[in-house]
Amino acid sequence: MFIKTAVTTDDFNQARSLFKTYESWAEVCPCFEGFERELLELTERYSLPQGQLWLAFDDREPEIAIAVVGVRIVDNQTCELKRLWVDPKGRGQKVGGALLVNVIEFARNLGVSSLTLETVPGIMDTAIDLYLRFGFSPKKEPANKSTLEMTYAL
């Protein structure tokens, strides 16, 4: 497996495709509000200075991305992890963890103090377990909120 920063039109097209697969899998999920606009603005949102996007590839099929993750730079203290998705054919290879390492290193190099994310309990429990293993902590949420915010202190 190898990871690369998205820079080319093909990179962003592959990310767009993975994002759409993720949305289909998640069905009706509050974290996909404004998703169509995000897809239209993908290159701008996930390129510096607004953010960054990485793709993971299997060495056996190096032209087809198997996973994606983005980071949005919120301000000089905070980055937000966005859309971590590993295609089913890439699971079981520790791809999600490798992408998280990239994101954490990127945020650390920016000098921000925290990395945040939003996830959905029940639907995304496997991802939540991964985030907890990497040291993310849940924020206290109102009982009626359907999403879980998590943070990682850098």
Side-chain angles (χ1 to χ4, degrees):
M1 177 207 28
F2 66 96
I3 296 170
K4 71 177 261 191
T5 303
V7 291
T8 68
T9 300
D10 182 59
D11 293 341
F12 284 100
N13 286 339
Q14 288 201 57
R16 189 173 286 106
S17 177
L18 287 165
F19 279 9
K20 286 179 178 180
T21 302
Y22 180 22
E23 180 200 29
S24 273
W25 172 85
E27 297 175 359
V28 179
C29 178
C31 57
F32 284 98
E33 256 180 52
F35 185 62
E36 290 304 317
R37 183 173 179 172
E38 180 180 348
L39 291 177
L40 290 172
E41 299 171 351
L42 197 65
T43 305
E44 296 80 21
R45 286 187 185 209
Y46 294 106
S47 295
L48 292 173
Q50 286 80 22
Q52 193 80 281
L53 186 76
W54 294 270
L55 297 165
F57 297 83
D58 188 317
D59 292 329
R60 295 168 293 188
E61 287 188 85
E63 66 285 342
I64 301 170
I66 58 169
V68 64
V69 68
V71 169
R72 188 176 68 85
I73 300 168
V74 177
D75 56 37
N76 62 358
Q77 293 300 311
T78 308
C79 284
E80 181 182 19
L81 184 144
K82 300 287 288 180
R83 312 275 182 236
L84 175 60
W85 172 253
V86 179
D87 190 85
K89 67 182 173 195
R91 294 186 184 160
Q93 301 176 48
K94 302 189 185 287
V95 177
L99 286 169
L100 272 180
V101 167
N102 254 43
V103 168
I104 291 167
E105 182 178 311
F106 172 80
R108 193 170 276 136
N109 288 339
L110 280 179
V112 299
S113 58
S114 69
L115 181 60
T116 64
L117 63 87
E118 186 177 57
T119 189
V120 181
I123 297 172
M124 301 176 183
D125 288 344
T126 301
I128 292 169
D129 289 344
L130 176 68
Y131 301 137
L132 290 170
R133 283 195 313 271
F134 270 78
F136 282 81
S137 301
K139 289 183 177 180
K140 300 292 181 211
E141 295 295 332
N144 63 349
K145 190 160 182 182
S146 59
T147 61
L148 172 66
E149 291 183 30
M150 300 182 82
T151 189
Y152 182 92
L154 293 160

